[in-house]
Amino acid sequence: MCKSAVFPEARSFMAEQFTKQGHSVDELVYHARWFPLGPIVAAVMGLVIVFGQDLQAVTSGQWYRLAISYMSLPVFLGMFAYYKIRYRTHVIPLDQIKLK
């Protein structure tokens, strides 16, 4: 089933669709102990780490160091866009997902 650390709302959407298809949330095998607090804390900590990795470069105005620190972000976005275009992937609406 859906285990999302970045988007905790994905699990609640999945559970909602699961119940709409006539099932109970108790049927799900995996129940996260700290849901939804755990994924939210993990996402916030991840953002703090990413954006705080070279805070000294921002405060001292060393933009070349900042560019080097975040150089991987445009590369990742480019590779993601290439994959989406190359393989023509798309998001499936929750009401069309077969859960059984």
Side-chain angles (χ1 to χ4, degrees), residues 24-74:
S24 171
V25 179
D26 296 329
E27 293 177 46
L28 298 174
V29 178
Y30 180 77
H31 298 278
R33 179 182 300 165
W34 294 101
F35 183 81
L37 182 63
I40 292 170
V41 169
V44 168
M45 288 175 59
L47 290 173
V48 167
I49 290 169
V50 167
F51 291 113
Q53 67 182 345
D54 205 357
L55 198 56
Q56 188 177 19
V58 175
T59 58
S60 64
Q62 296 176 342
W63 299 109
Y64 66 93
R65 280 183 48 196
L66 192 64
I68 290 171
S69 295
Y70 294 105
M71 188 181 303
S72 61
L73 290 176

Side-chain angles (χ1 to χ4, degrees), residues 74-94:
V75 172
F76 169 77
L77 292 174
M79 291 172 68
F80 179 75
Y82 168 77
Y83 181 86
K84 295 292 277 182
I85 293 167
R86 169 73 169 87
Y87 294 103
R88 296 182 179 93
T89 61
H90 60 281
V91 176
I92 300 171
L94 286 174

